[in-house]
Amino acid sequence: MNEDYTPTELLAYVAAGLLEDGKSVFVGTGLPMIAAMLAQRTHAPNLLIIFEAGGIGPQVPVLPISVGDSRTFYRAVAASSMHEVMSAGQAGYVDYGFLGAAQIDPYGNLNTTVIGEWDHPLVRLPGSGGANDIGSFCWRTIIVMRQDKRRFVEHLDFLTTPGYLDGPGARERAGLPAGSGPYRVITQLGLYDFDEDSKRMRLLATHPGVTVDDICANSAFELIIPDQVGTTEPPSPQVRRILREIDPTGMVIGK
Amino acid sequence: MNEDYTPTELLAYVAAGLLEDGKSVFVGTGLPMIAAMLAQRTHAPNLLIIFEAGGIGPQVPVLPISVGDSRTFYRAVAASSMHEVMSAGQAGYVDYGFLGAAQIDPYGNLNTTVIGEWDHPLVRLPGSGGANDIGSFCWRTIIVMRQDKRRFVEHLDFLTTPGYLDGPGARERAGLPAGSGPYRVITQLGLYDFDEDSKRMRLLATHPGVTVDDICANSAFELIIPDQVGTTEPPSPQVRRILREIDPTGMVIGK
Amino acid sequence: MDILQTGQGELIGWHDPDEHRAWVAAHKSRALEDKRTTLREAIARYVPDGAIIACGGFGHIRVSMAAIYEIIRQHKRDLTFCGKTAVHDSDVLIAAGAVCRIEVAYAFGHELRGLSPASRRAVESGRCQVVAEISNAGYQWRFLAAAMGLPFIPTRVMLGTDTLAHSSAKVIEDPFSGKPIALLPACYPDVVLMHVHRCDKYGNCQVDGIAVEDFELARAARRLIITTEEIVDEEMIRSQPWRTLIPYYLVDAVIEAPYGAHPTLMPDRYYFDEDHIGEWLRLSKTDEGAAEYFERYVYSVEDFAEYLELIGGEERLEYLRQVEHLEAPLRAPWLEEKK
Amino acid sequence: MDILQTGQGELIGWHDPDEHRAWVAAHKSRALEDKRTTLREAIARYVPDGAIIACGGFGHIRVSMAAIYEIIRQHKRDLTFCGKTAVHDSDVLIAAGAVCRIEVAYAFGHELRGLSPASRRAVESGRCQVVAEISNAGYQWRFLAAAMGLPFIPTRVMLGTDTLAHSSAKVIEDPFSGKPIALLPACYPDVVLMHVHRCDKYGNCQVDGIAVEDFELARAARRLIITTEEIVDEEMIRSQPWRTLIPYYLVDAVIEAPYGAHPTLMPDRYYFDEDHIGEWLRLSKTDEGAAEYFERYVYSVEDFAEYLELIGGEERLEYLRQVEHLEAPLRAPWLEEKK
């Protein structure tokens, strides 16, 4: 059976499944990198991987540590600049983007800047980095993060990166690119999308062994729970083998 | 004696004399190129030559035909882009610029766009090209053109490139870079600068054999004629020899 | 928004950034695909009558003449030309009747060779309409705005002039300095023709020498047709990816066209063919002469290879290679006349 | 000018474009001059206390650590840091007490390695003040505006967020689309430290691999200090001038510093020294530990060459070269912990 997969393997597999062949994706280090490489080695061989520091379409030999690592432009089609890739994103060339966060709200807005008050931080986090950029201009952003009541919050301590702001039409009213925004959220408990009408987060599927009660107990805001909730498919042994090939040292997947 | 120099040789020599060592100059084809190369081979060996299409600091082997000619970046320090050199100009890195024109007015404004009405041209000229850019951002622009009553006019048919617009402070009021503007005008008759107070064109020196009456008879607007007017120095045989080395085929200097 | 001044030139090639993003998402493939095709096919497919077109290079430097001749051969009509730094490209397209509208930074001239008889005649007679004025830097930055997916880019050039008054720019008060500043609207040409030194079959391109404004123009283009001196193996691109000026996803068609810039200059390959340009400038002094030129060099030939035979074949091309490499002296009709 | 929103972050590094032009004219030499000097001399001369500084590369990629150590060694104080994509650079400068103010796109983190104990502690205790927030693209474009001599560049990122509210950007209504758009003010750092693969004695620089935002940053810099893996003959620059990322007139000082990016990554030369970064992350968990680190690796050594001996000399550097070229496996303390 498949039950000996790790939580990270499951996340990588679910994330990979969201990526379409022939599309482009803005990739960060860690899990997004693994997911994109898994997609390339399974259903999406022609997925274009782009890194914010300038690497475009590399043939990544081993997992990079940084998004500016030389592995991110190893045998790439272009080793360019941040100006080039951020401009491409702003002009609509980037389909998917991955984001992580310390906090998320019902509209998919993200905080990676500060816990507590901005000028008197309890915990100072790294800030936007490329997150605001990715969240602003990628057509579909995929958020991968840990879920609990301190992280799934009604009100963020700081809105670093735009989700749907305060609801339908808010992105467009703010001047953000039309038709873009959060697409899916993946946590250790389940997979979410956003309700078309309210732009609030909605449960799409729970991971194997997770109940809807678990889901709700780990969110400080009210999630939309539809009548029909699916269950995510766990990674097959073959997928797990590929994941081990991609990350032989267990840098991301763990040992 | 020196009297067998050609008018073009004189113009090139006078123009070259205006360029300082250790400064930068935006160069076009033809006479400006010759003048800049003459300056480099005489008093200004460390003059930085920049071409609008991207050539920076070339060691020009033979005269280029175009400002994008491969001779303009032959053994250059950089073969870059229009964005790079125009940005450098806008940011204040370019000291001198050369301009030509079909018409000039008392404030050094230039027309290279049209003779007659814009939408019903009598003669359609090439337009701004890089002229407006050079005239906007170079610290000191040097205008080299033929002088007669159809060219030295009170009112331009079209103001392609800014001189001092309508007088003192007008460039700054329009939003153009402060402290920049026309520096000298060189024609087949004489050398001009601009009066500090009025920003109107003022005779500085006549060429050998040219009288102040000749000067005035060939301008449709009133030139400022100071009490003391110098005479330009004609090119020495040595200068003429260098000019022949720079332009052996007589492409610009003529045979 | 207080707008201090609005240029009265026609705004060509502008799109709302959201509309352009949607177009990109729907029409530009992000997949690595073999894009090799013929010029006949590429021009037929991507250059509809009425399109706004622009050329890479610098007017008579690294211009895709092979693509331009094919446009003329296919009798394309009502094109609007981005006269960014237009020299030989616009002159023949206007003379052939393909282009009837032009926004002008530089056009109707051949630099040291003098003015362009054919396109000047077309403008002065009203057959070709100048729709707006702009400067070289101004046009370059219109493409930068487009490349960045922005509605505009600010600039400090053009202010206070008729060039701005007849452009599509607007002037506002800069909220940081309080001074007037010009805003240049983005320009997205419908089709861009660009000639490069080498690219792979996917369209990853390298250029030797100055890039001029091709970095920005390639990214501003809705459709980008690449002609190339040679199609190289993907390996050559991937071994030095920092040499890639244009990544494949910007490119719609790749056509191998050696000497495809003739009679314009290809850096490090071949110099201007001054005899040929001279023939054009001489013939194009009359409409009949221009027609004779097109009949001889465009309509009567099947393709660009046949044209190359007609202009002197291997021997001529070898001479141009030598001039470029400073191994042979330049011959030029206009140079003869100065003597 | 209707301004829809004004970010409340402190505006650092901005100058009126005319004031900057005058500064350039007075202070940046356009002459081709031998600019070779020592790091001691360059840092003493160009980095006054209180300056606004920025680093080339990408936080722990191609960072001029040699210059950073010299800043610490000279006990520079009250510096403001452009935290464009700050990783190792900002962490050590903040920990050493050199930097006490920072504008943050990304800082206080080491990507996969986790958060930075020292600089987080400094910020949370108030020893280092965050003066403004911004995004990576936003910072990059602040430098683009400066490189272009403009007061601002528009962008469609940051809108609607607290990042913008705590930035120095303003929001206006775009006069072309009618939609809100953010304007990013130019940022001209007083001093930029940049490490390159090679340059000549005048400062003409080449970089292999991604440029990140160094094209723009080099042009935004008031003073630009270049450390380089090697100083090459002018001939190497002039034979391929299209490889020049930075022309000499932007550069104020050139210092040959082989392995000058250690322990950060130098593309195609050497990989991250994870053992050394690991030692820093471990020691910097306490102020005492950080002080111990600086005593050992900065204050007790005369110069960068001596430092290189201390971190393991030729043998260590050869190993890092092998890892970069995929010829040796990566060892890393944080990787060990995952096992």
Side-chain angles (χ1 to χ4, degrees):
Chain A
M1 294 298 287
N2 284 328
E3 282 156 27
D4 48 353
Y5 60 84
T6 68
T8 311
E9 286 172 337
L10 177 66
L11 291 184
Y13 176 60
V14 172
L18 298 175
L19 302 171
E20 291 168 290
D21 197 26
K23 301 288 183 183
S24 55
V25 59
F26 237 70
V27 166
T29 44
L31 194 81
M33 186 67 226
I34 300 275
M37 287 173 77
L38 176 60
Q40 279 186 331
R41 293 186 194 198
T42 53
H43 66 285
N46 214 335
L47 177 72
L48 170 62
I49 292 180
I50 303 177
F51 290 92
E52 67 184 73
I56 300 175
Q59 292 173 345
V60 179
V62 297
L63 277 182
I65 294 176
S66 157
V67 292
D69 195 323
S70 37
R71 281 76 166 110
T72 64
F73 50 88
Y74 184 81
R75 294 182 52 77
V77 297
S80 68
S81 65
M82 188 179 283
H83 174 57
E84 163 138 22
V85 297
M86 291 295 188
S87 294
Q90 197 163 241
Y93 280 93
V94 187
D95 297 290
Y96 293 93
F98 278 105
L99 294 169
Q103 291 180 331
I104 189 168
D105 76 8
Y107 299 104
N109 302 304
L110 306 176
N111 175 16
T112 56
T113 301
V114 68
I115 302 297
E117 288 172 46
W118 181 73
D119 39 10
H120 295 96
L122 221 56
V123 182
R124 174 66 213 203
L125 301 169
S128 160
N132 184 294
D133 311 317
I134 291 167
S136 294
F137 63 55
C138 287
W139 288 101
R140 295 173 160 187
T141 47
I142 298 165
I143 300 138
V144 183
M145 63 182 291
R146 224 190 132 65
Q147 172 176 358
D148 61 39
K149 285 199 162 185
R150 291 177 308 121
R151 290 181 170 89
F152 270 47
V153 296
E154 188 67 43
H155 298 288
L156 303 174
D157 288 8
F158 191 97
L159 200 171
T160 310
T161 295
Y164 291 107
L165 300 176
D166 58 4
R171 282 176 73 90
E172 290 75 9
R173 280 193 298 278
L176 289 166
S180 61
Y183 174 61
R184 294 288 186 273
V185 181
I186 308 172
T187 75
Q188 83 282 12
L189 298 178
L191 173 66
Y192 307 83
D193 69 353
F194 292 84
D195 174 59
E196 267 308 301
D197 296 329
S198 66
K199 297 293 184 190
R200 284 181 66 104
M201 210 189 298
R202 173 172 65 186
L203 182 63
L204 209 53
T206 57
H207 292 323
V210 176
T211 66
V212 171
D213 283 351
D214 296 335
I215 294 283
C216 295
N218 281 285
S219 175
F221 61 83
E222 198 175 336
L223 286 157
I224 300 176
I225 309 288
D227 294 341
Q228 297 287 351
V229 172
T231 306
T232 56
E233 189 196 339
S236 68
Q238 194 197 334
V239 162
R240 296 184 56 226
R241 188 158 30 78
I242 298 171
L243 285 171
R244 292 290 153 183
E245 281 168 23
I246 294 171
D247 184 14
T249 63
M251 186 185 291
V252 178
I253 299 288
K255 281 284 176 187
Chain B
M1 294 298 289
N2 284 329
E3 284 157 25
D4 49 352
Y5 59 83
T6 68
T8 311
E9 286 173 337
L10 177 66
L11 290 185
Y13 177 60
V14 172
L18 300 174
L19 302 171
E20 293 169 289
D21 197 27
K23 301 289 182 181
S24 54
V25 58
F26 236 70
V27 166
T29 43
L31 195 82
M33 187 65 227
I34 300 276
M37 287 174 77
L38 176 60
Q40 279 186 332
R41 293 187 193 198
T42 54
H43 65 285
N46 215 333
L47 176 71
L48 171 60
I49 292 179
I50 303 177
F51 290 91
E52 66 185 74
I56 299 176
Q59 295 174 342
V60 180
V62 296
L63 278 183
I65 294 177
S66 157
V67 295
D69 195 324
S70 37
R71 282 76 167 111
T72 65
F73 51 89
Y74 184 81
R75 293 181 54 75
V77 299
S80 68
S81 65
M82 188 178 282
H83 175 58
E84 163 139 24
V85 297
M86 291 295 187
S87 294
Q90 197 163 243
Y93 280 92
V94 187
D95 297 290
Y96 294 92
F98 277 105
L99 293 170
Q103 293 181 329
I104 189 169
D105 75 9
Y107 298 105
N109 303 304
L110 306 177
N111 175 16
T112 55
T113 300
V114 68
I115 302 298
E117 286 171 47
W118 181 73
D119 38 10
H120 295 96
L122 219 56
V123 182
R124 174 65 213 202
L125 300 168
S128 161
N132 184 296
D133 311 317
I134 291 168
S136 294
F137 63 55
C138 288
W139 288 101
R140 294 173 161 186
T141 46
I142 298 166
I143 299 138
V144 183
M145 63 184 289
R146 225 191 131 67
Q147 172 176 358
D148 61 40
K149 284 198 162 186
R150 291 178 307 122
R151 291 180 169 91
F152 270 47
V153 296
E154 189 65 44
H155 298 288
L156 303 174
D157 288 7
F158 191 98
L159 200 171
T160 310
T161 296
Y164 291 107
L165 299 177
D166 58 3
R171 281 176 73 91
E172 289 75 8
R173 279 193 299 277
L176 288 165
S180 60
Y183 174 61
R184 294 288 186 274
V185 180
I186 309 172
T187 75
Q188 83 283 9
L189 299 178
L191 174 66
Y192 307 83
D193 70 353
F194 292 83
D195 175 58
E196 267 307 302
D197 296 329
S198 66
K199 296 294 185 189
R200 286 181 65 103
M201 211 190 296
R202 175 172 65 186
L203 181 62
L204 209 55
T206 57
H207 292 323
V210 176
T211 67
V212 170
D213 282 351
D214 295 335
I215 294 283
C216 294
N218 282 285
S219 175
F221 60 82
E222 198 176 338
L223 287 157
I224 299 176
I225 310 290
D227 296 341
Q228 295 287 350
V229 173
T231 306
T232 55
E233 191 196 336
S236 68
Q238 195 198 334
V239 162
R240 297 185 54 227
R241 188 156 31 76
I242 298 170
L243 285 170
R244 293 290 154 183
E245 281 168 23
I246 294 171
D247 184 14
T249 62
M251 186 185 290
V252 178
I253 299 290
K255 282 282 178 186
Chain C
M1 264 300 304
D2 276 8
I3 294 168
L4 304 179
Q5 188 186 353
T6 298
Q8 297 303 306
E10 186 180 329
L11 176 55
I12 64 161
W14 189 83
H15 297 282
D16 179 284
D18 285 322
E19 191 266 313
H20 180 68
R21 281 175 55 91
W23 192 91
V24 164
H27 295 96
K28 297 296 275 193
S29 170
R30 275 78 86 203
L32 203 64
E33 292 159 345
D34 187 345
K35 290 174 187 149
R36 287 172 297 181
T37 182
T38 61
L39 261 174
R40 190 168 304 153
E41 171 67 23
I43 299 297
R45 179 159 177 202
Y46 293 119
V47 188
D49 286 351
I52 298 171
I53 71 167
C55 292
F58 193 73
H60 51 171
I61 311 286
R62 200 164 47 70
V63 174
S64 181
M65 291 305 300
I68 286 175
Y69 290 137
E70 186 61 28
I71 285 177
I72 296 171
R73 192 173 291 118
Q74 292 190 16
H75 297 283
K76 296 292 180 184
R77 282 294 176 272
D78 301 324
L79 303 175
T80 296
F81 196 76
C82 299
K84 46 188 260 300
T85 51
V87 185
H88 198 62
D89 45 8
S90 63
D91 199 21
V92 294
L93 282 165
I94 291 171
V99 163
C100 65
R101 289 150 45 84
I102 182 168
E103 177 175 35
V104 176
Y106 182 94
F108 322 120
H110 271 263
E111 292 200 51
L112 278 192
R113 301 178 198 96
L115 293 173
S116 313
S119 52
R120 266 183 72 190
R121 203 163 56 241
V123 168
E124 290 166 12
S125 70
R127 265 182 292 161
C128 178
Q129 190 198 350
V130 175
V131 298
E133 303 286 333
I134 193 167
S135 71
N136 279 0
Y139 227 144
Q140 140 76 31
W141 287 325
R142 287 197 67 190
F143 300 131
L144 176 64
M148 293 179 70
L150 293 173
F152 65 83
I153 277 281
T155 183
R156 305 190 73 202
V157 302
M158 303 198 344
L159 292 153
T161 65
D162 291 336
T163 305
L164 191 139
H166 286 81
S167 78
S168 54
K170 295 178 193 283
V171 180
I172 65 161
E173 184 187 299
D174 162 27
F176 293 94
S177 71
K179 297 175 180 178
I181 193 157
L183 306 184
L184 297 159
C187 178
Y188 301 88
D190 295 323
V191 197
V192 169
L193 318 170
M194 204 172 272
H195 192 66
V196 302
H197 287 81
R198 67 196 72 83
C199 71
D200 64 17
K201 66 183 175 187
Y202 308 112
N204 295 297
C205 302
Q206 293 183 353
V207 165
D208 301 339
I210 48 174
V212 194
E213 57 209 275
D214 286 0
F215 179 92
E216 294 78 11
L217 185 58
R219 285 153 184 81
R222 287 205 149 181
R223 295 298 185 185
L224 177 57
I225 297 174
I226 296 288
T227 57
T228 178
E229 287 292 317
E230 51 179 333
I231 292 176
V232 297
D233 194 84
E234 184 181 355
E235 179 61 30
M236 185 156 183
I237 301 296
R238 292 193 184 269
S239 63
Q240 278 201 297
W242 44 90
R243 287 291 324 274
T244 303
L245 184 72
I246 301 168
Y248 72 88
Y249 53 81
L250 299 168
V251 175
D252 294 284
V254 170
I255 301 99
E256 192 166 49
Y259 300 101
H262 180 278
T264 75
L265 182 155
M266 190 66 185
D268 202 36
R269 298 276 175 135
Y270 43 94
Y271 204 63
F272 300 110
D273 189 338
E274 289 297 337
D275 288 319
H276 191 85
I277 296 174
E279 185 179 355
W280 162 250
L281 288 176
R282 183 173 54 76
L283 284 173
S284 65
K285 280 177 184 157
T286 64
D287 286 349
E288 295 70 30
E292 184 188 327
Y293 177 91
F294 292 124
E295 188 53 42
R296 185 181 311 156
Y297 291 112
V298 184
Y299 298 128
S300 301
V301 298
E302 265 298 291
D303 55 21
F304 196 70
E306 205 175 300
Y307 160 89
L308 288 177
E309 282 310 308
L310 208 58
I311 59 95
E314 194 45 59
E315 190 181 341
R316 180 81 201 158
L317 297 169
E318 171 59 19
Y319 162 72
L320 298 176
R321 199 196 62 74
Q322 287 175 8
V323 178
E324 173 62 9
H325 291 131
L326 303 168
E327 293 161 3
L330 174 66
R331 293 191 307 258
W334 56 270
L335 200 51
E336 290 306 310
E337 284 163 26
K338 296 215 174 189
K339 285 180 180 167
Chain D
M1 263 303 302
D2 275 10
I3 295 167
L4 305 179
Q5 187 186 354
T6 298
Q8 298 302 307
E10 186 180 329
L11 176 56
I12 64 160
W14 189 84
H15 297 283
D16 179 283
D18 285 322
E19 191 266 313
H20 180 68
R21 281 175 55 91
W23 193 92
V24 164
H27 296 96
K28 297 296 275 195
S29 170
R30 276 78 87 203
L32 201 65
E33 292 159 344
D34 187 345
K35 291 175 187 148
R36 287 173 297 182
T37 182
T38 61
L39 262 175
R40 189 169 303 152
E41 170 68 23
I43 298 297
R45 181 161 174 200
Y46 293 118
V47 188
D49 285 352
I52 298 171
I53 71 167
C55 292
F58 193 74
H60 52 171
I61 312 287
R62 201 162 49 68
V63 175
S64 180
M65 291 306 299
I68 286 174
Y69 291 136
E70 185 61 28
I71 285 177
I72 296 171
R73 193 174 290 118
Q74 292 190 17
H75 296 284
K76 297 292 180 184
R77 281 294 176 272
D78 301 324
L79 302 176
T80 297
F81 196 76
C82 300
K84 46 188 260 299
T85 50
V87 184
H88 198 63
D89 45 7
S90 64
D91 198 21
V92 294
L93 281 165
I94 292 171
V99 162
C100 65
R101 288 151 44 83
I102 182 168
E103 177 175 36
V104 176
Y106 182 95
F108 323 120
H110 271 263
E111 292 198 52
L112 277 192
R113 302 179 197 95
L115 293 173
S116 313
S119 51
R120 268 183 71 190
R121 201 161 60 239
V123 167
E124 290 166 12
S125 69
R127 265 182 293 160
C128 177
Q129 189 198 349
V130 175
V131 298
E133 303 286 333
I134 192 164
S135 72
N136 280 0
Y139 227 145
Q140 140 76 33
W141 286 324
R142 288 196 66 190
F143 299 131
L144 176 63
M148 293 180 70
L150 293 173
F152 64 83
I153 278 281
T155 183
R156 305 190 72 201
V157 303
M158 302 197 346
L159 291 154
T161 65
D162 291 335
T163 305
L164 191 141
H166 286 81
S167 78
S168 54
K170 294 178 194 283
V171 180
I172 65 162
E173 184 189 298
D174 163 26
F176 293 94
S177 70
K179 297 176 179 177
I181 192 157
L183 306 185
L184 298 159
C187 179
Y188 301 89
D190 295 323
V191 198
V192 169
L193 318 169
M194 204 172 273
H195 191 66
V196 303
H197 287 80
R198 66 195 74 82
C199 71
D200 64 17
K201 64 184 176 185
Y202 307 111
N204 295 299
C205 303
Q206 293 182 354
V207 165
D208 301 339
I210 48 173
V212 195
E213 58 208 276
D214 285 1
F215 179 92
E216 294 78 12
L217 186 58
R219 285 153 184 81
R222 288 205 148 182
R223 295 299 186 186
L224 178 57
I225 298 174
I226 296 289
T227 57
T228 178
E229 287 292 317
E230 53 179 332
I231 292 177
V232 297
D233 193 84
E234 185 181 353
E235 179 60 32
M236 186 156 183
I237 301 296
R238 292 193 184 270
S239 64
Q240 277 200 298
W242 44 90
R243 287 292 324 273
T244 304
L245 184 73
I246 300 168
Y248 72 88
Y249 53 81
L250 299 168
V251 175
D252 293 284
V254 169
I255 302 99
E256 193 166 51
Y259 300 100
H262 180 277
T264 75
L265 182 156
M266 189 66 184
D268 201 37
R269 299 277 174 133
Y270 43 93
Y271 204 63
F272 301 108
D273 188 338
E274 290 297 336
D275 288 319
H276 191 85
I277 295 173
E279 185 179 355
W280 162 251
L281 288 176
R282 183 173 54 76
L283 284 173
S284 65
K285 281 179 184 156
T286 65
D287 287 348
E288 297 68 30
E292 185 188 328
Y293 177 91
F294 292 123
E295 189 53 41
R296 186 182 310 156
Y297 290 111
V298 183
Y299 299 127
S300 300
V301 298
E302 266 297 292
D303 56 20
F304 196 71
E306 206 174 299
Y307 160 89
L308 288 177
E309 281 311 307
L310 208 57
I311 59 94
E314 194 45 57
E315 190 182 340
R316 181 82 201 156
L317 297 169
E318 170 60 20
Y319 162 72
L320 297 175
R321 198 196 63 73
Q322 287 174 8
V323 178
E324 172 63 8
H325 291 131
L326 303 167
E327 292 160 4
L330 175 66
R331 296 192 303 260
W334 55 269
L335 200 50
E336 290 307 309
E337 284 164 26
K338 295 217 174 189
K339 286 179 182 171

